[in-house]
Each structure stands twice: as structure tokens, then as C-alpha cells.
Amino acid sequence: MTIIKMTTSIMMMMLLLCTRATTSAAFQLTSISRRPASTLHVSVNPDVITTKEYEDICGTSFDEDLLHTRLQATNYLYPKHVEVVEDLAPIAGAMVDEILLETGDKAWQPQDYLPDLSQPGWEDEIKEMRNQAAQIDDDLLVVLVGDMVTEEALPTYQTLLNTFEGCDDPTGDTDSPWARWSRGWTSEENRHGDLLNKYLYLGGRCDMRSIEVTIQHLITNGFNPQAKKDPYRGFVYTSFQERATKVSHGNVGRLARQAGDKNLGRICAKIAGDEGRHEKAYQTFVTEILKRDPDGLLNVFGDMMRGQIAMPAELMTDGVNKDLYTDFSDVAQRLGVYTAIDYAEIIKHLVETWDLENLEGLSSEGEKEREYLCRLPERYRKLAERSMNRKKKVNEEVVPKSFSWIHNRSC
């Protein structure tokens, strides 16, 4: 009881001091715009609280030089990696101009691919849209919903980008190349979930509330691709994931066209095109990192490949089915939308894009990683083929799974 009272008294004293400091200008933190962001000016009003008293409470010194040194020492987990990506800033700026499209009227928008309900004849347009959408079977519909849910979790992915050291947007409107890239990428990606969501709503075959619940759960649950704030890991991951998303949307569009839904075919092709441009940008970033720090990049790439690339929607749930992601991905694999073979092919594509076979000037450790990575695609492909053949033998008859997304119909 005594300890609790003492702790409470200390907390009250700190609260009082902070309150008095705020109202009486006991101390002021002033960020000087012309200095680095980590430079901090601090002054303490001795009439209210002494520097020593504040240090005892907050555990830090207000000596400017000492504070700056301390911030410098703990500023980054990956200082070498930050130095490299800062050198890439002009390239990031070029990507904003060359890879990202214009915003506003010059850019495509979801409404370009949907009936305009403000115009005469919209009823006929929706009727025709639904007639084509009716050709899609439930299996493909479930995969489309899963892809849309993944796209709608965009806030999580922008949060991820802002954890990459040296590439963040600290103020929310920072005018740096990396910050502009992050916001521009997000603005383009935002169209994908919007368009697919509206298509499904107008199609009238889905339980949209269940889908909305799933989206909210996924954003709440978050997503951890094990980037660990490392920009190298982040760009290897995004290089992989953008291509995986392009493959998935492209295959859904192909199957939709085969089934007779030309509208969905166009929609998916447009989204896949965006993913392809973004993939090119992230892979270019890695190419440039390899020119400056090949050993560091290969060490990261090899370590990531010894694990498993996390899929963005792995934590999805509708609040009922805890295995929802597994069920969704099983359907996607069965349809050939995204398979273990695709996973192996993406690794092969990255190894070839970054020309690892011909990479020179490496340390002994870097050479070992290079050899490991160059052998990896074939190894993964053999494992994928073996796994898929085993599943075909064991699961000749597919056990249907119900999905709340489609009013608990099974597929």
C-alpha cells in the first residue's frame, strides 16, 4: 500500500510539473526549420522547475549538444542502409515523375469503369453489368473478394512504407522525393480497392456487410512482413509483393474474360497495369542499392528467402472463420490465380532482373549468398511441383468451404 501511495504521489507531482511547465512556459521545445529535424532547442524556466529536477523526472539532459549527440547515436537502426537510400533520393524523385501517373483529371478513376448513376440509362448499364457478372462462378467471385479485401487494407501498407528508415514522411506532407513517392504510390493504389468494391456492390451477389467486416478486421489486425524498419528489406518485399499482386489480378481478369465478363476483365487488367509500374519502380530501387552496397542487399535478400514472404492478407477474418485466409488462398491456388509455382517464378524473375548471376566484387559472404539465391528458384519450383502433385493425389475430391462473403454458399 505504501509503495502504491508513493508511486501515485510521484505521478501526481510529474503531472503537476508538466501542467505548470505548459502553462508557465517552464520549458520550450523549438524546432528550427533551417536545421536538421533532430536538432532541438530547449530552455528551462528556473522559477518553475530546474533543469536537474526535469532530468530526474524525464531521464534526459537538456544540454543541446549532448541531446543532439544522443539523438545521432540512436537515430537509425541501419545507418549504412539509410546512407544508401538517401543517395537514391533523386532516383525516387524521377520515379514519381516517370512511373506514377498524373493525378486528377488526367489519371484514370474507378468511375471510368462503372455505370454513372447520375446519367440517363444507368439502369440498363447496371442490368448489362449484372448479366456479364452472372457468368462468374462462386469460386472466382471468392478470389475476387479476397483480392479486393487485400487492396482495401491500404492504410496498413502506407504505415509500413513509413517505417522504412530514411524513406519516411515525418510530417505527412514532407516535400522529399521519398515522401512524395509514398503518397503518390498510395494515391494510385487507393483506386484499386475502390473500384473492386463498387463492382462487387453493383453486381449484387455478395454479402457486402460481411466483406466490410472482414476489411475492418484486417486493418485492425495489421500486417508484419518482417521488414524490421530496414529499407533494404522493405524494397525487396515490395518488389516481390507488387509482382505477386500483378499476377493475381491478371489471372482473375483472364478467367473473367473467359467466363464472359468483359467488364471485370478490363478492370483487372487496369489494376494489374498499375501493379506492374509499381513493381518496376521498387525493383529499380533494389538495382540501384546493389550498385552501392551489393553485400548488404544480398545478405538481406538471402535472409528473407530463408523464411517465407508474408502475404498482406494473412490475418483476414470475417469474425467467424479464423481460417478464412487459408480457405481463400486454397481456392485461388485451385483456380491457378496464385500458386506455389508463381511464388517460385517471382523469385526467378527477381534473380534475373537484378542479374545476380553476373554480380561481381562481392565479399566471401556475399558470394555465398549470391550462389544460394541463384540456385533458389529451381529448388522452389521443384518443391512447388512436388507439393501441388501431392495435393492433387490426396485431395482428388475438394471439400467445399462456405464463405460468408457470398451468403455462406460453398465452393
Side-chain angles (χ1 to χ4, degrees):
M1 183 65 71
T2 303
I3 294 175
I4 294 174
K5 287 182 178 178
M6 288 176 63
T7 303
T8 303
S9 299
I10 292 171
M11 291 177 65
M12 290 299 293
M13 180 185 73
M14 291 177 66
L15 180 61
L16 177 61
L17 286 169
C18 289
T19 303
R20 291 177 65 190
T22 303
T23 57
S24 305
F27 60 89
Q28 295 177 336
L29 302 181
T30 307
S31 178
I32 308 301
S33 60
R34 293 182 181 179
R35 300 192 177 215
S38 59
T39 300
L40 214 57
H41 280 182
V42 182
S43 60
V44 177
N45 185 343
D47 294 332
V48 180
I49 178 174
T50 68
T51 302
K52 182 65 171 66
E53 286 173 330
Y54 201 91
E55 288 175 15
D56 290 342
I57 294 169
C58 298
T60 187
S61 169
F62 278 87
D63 177 82
E64 181 183 349
D65 293 335
L66 181 59
L67 182 58
H68 182 70
T69 301
R70 181 173 175 179
L71 288 172
Q72 287 289 101
T74 60
N75 201 14
Y76 294 118
L77 295 172
Y78 311 94
K80 173 65 182 296
H81 296 185
V82 171
E83 181 183 337
V84 170
V85 297
E86 286 179 346
D87 190 50
L88 300 186
I91 297 171
M95 288 298 163
V96 174
D97 299 329
E98 297 169 12
I99 299 296
L100 296 179
L101 298 180
E102 295 285 342
T103 57
D105 290 341
K106 293 183 180 180
W108 75 265
Q109 299 298 336
Q111 187 56 55
D112 299 337
Y113 296 85
L114 299 166
D116 186 347
L117 304 190
S118 69
Q119 298 298 317
W122 61 266
E123 298 97 330
D124 293 335
E125 290 184 25
I126 289 183
K127 185 177 180 180
E128 174 59 25
M129 179 182 177
R130 287 192 169 191
N131 286 338
Q132 289 193 33
Q135 308 304 313
I136 301 294
D137 62 24
D138 281 345
D139 284 20
L140 188 57
L141 190 60
V142 162
V143 175
L144 180 63
V145 172
D147 283 353
M148 183 272 278
V149 169
T150 304
E151 294 284 359
E152 288 281 51
L154 181 61
T156 304
Y157 314 141
Q158 187 178 27
T159 299
L160 172 66
L161 277 182
N162 271 324
T163 67
F164 300 165
E165 291 187 339
C167 310
D168 59 341
D169 180 7
T171 66
D173 62 354
T174 305
D175 190 29
S176 69
W178 287 117
R180 289 190 294 111
W181 166 262
S182 173
R183 295 194 301 270
W185 173 86
T186 302
S187 72
E188 289 203 346
E189 290 281 337
N190 185 63
R191 301 177 298 190
H192 304 168
D194 282 354
L195 177 52
L196 294 177
N197 196 321
K198 291 173 182 175
Y199 168 87
L200 290 169
Y201 171 74
L202 292 173
R205 293 175 59 192
C206 296
D207 182 341
M208 295 307 297
R209 191 177 196 285
S210 174
I211 292 171
E212 290 161 356
V213 167
T214 305
I215 293 168
Q216 187 171 10
H217 275 303
L218 180 56
I219 296 173
T220 301
N221 291 341
F223 159 59
N224 181 8
Q226 297 298 318
K228 303 177 181 179
K229 296 188 176 182
D230 184 352
Y232 287 15
R233 285 179 175 271
F235 291 148
V236 169
Y237 179 82
T238 49
S239 294
F240 186 103
Q241 192 55 49
E242 291 284 3
R243 188 167 184 83
T245 310
K246 181 181 76 172
V247 168
S248 181
H249 285 303
N251 284 332
V252 169
R254 173 179 55 80
L255 292 172
R257 288 190 295 273
Q258 290 175 359
D261 190 344
K262 295 180 181 178
N263 289 330
L264 182 56
R266 288 175 60 236
I267 287 170
C268 290
K270 195 65 178 178
I271 294 173
D274 274 4
E275 305 293 4
R277 288 185 299 103
H278 299 162
E279 168 201 2
K280 179 181 177 182
Y282 285 118
Q283 290 172 10
T284 298
F285 296 154
V286 174
T287 297
E288 293 298 326
I289 291 172
L290 280 167
K291 293 176 182 177
R292 294 159 173 80
D293 185 17
D295 285 314
L297 192 284
L298 290 180
N299 180 267
V300 163
F301 190 14
D303 183 61
M304 292 177 71
M305 290 299 100
R306 288 181 176 87
Q308 186 80 10
I309 295 293
M311 294 296 109
E314 285 184 353
L315 298 180
M316 71 162 54
T317 177
D318 57 1
V320 178
N321 182 4
K322 61 181 177 55
D323 297 320
L324 182 57
Y325 176 78
T326 300
D327 293 346
F328 150 67
S329 59
D330 284 347
V331 176
Q333 173 130 319
R334 190 168 69 240
L335 292 182
V337 170
Y338 185 75
T339 70
I341 296 292
D342 292 316
Y343 188 97
E345 286 297 313
I346 292 172
I347 297 174
K348 179 182 178 183
H349 171 79
L350 296 179
V351 169
E352 292 176 349
T353 297
W354 296 327
D355 197 21
L356 299 192
E357 286 281 0
N358 300 309
L359 198 59
E360 298 178 345
L362 301 171
S363 66
S364 58
E365 275 198 25
E367 184 60 29
K368 287 179 183 178
E369 292 293 343
R370 187 193 71 79
E371 291 176 358
Y372 163 74
L373 289 164
C374 289
R375 292 195 302 265
L376 198 58
E378 187 59 28
R379 287 177 56 194
Y380 259 113
R381 184 175 185 85
K382 288 179 180 178
L383 287 171
E385 290 174 346
R386 203 174 304 155
S387 174
M388 292 176 71
N389 289 335
R390 191 184 306 119
K391 283 186 177 181
K392 286 180 181 178
K393 293 178 182 178
V394 175
N395 302 321
E396 291 181 357
E397 293 187 10
V398 176
V399 178
K401 299 288 179 67
S402 66
F403 288 85
S404 63
W405 299 338
I406 54 173
H407 299 284
N408 291 312
R409 298 193 298 274
S410 296
C411 61

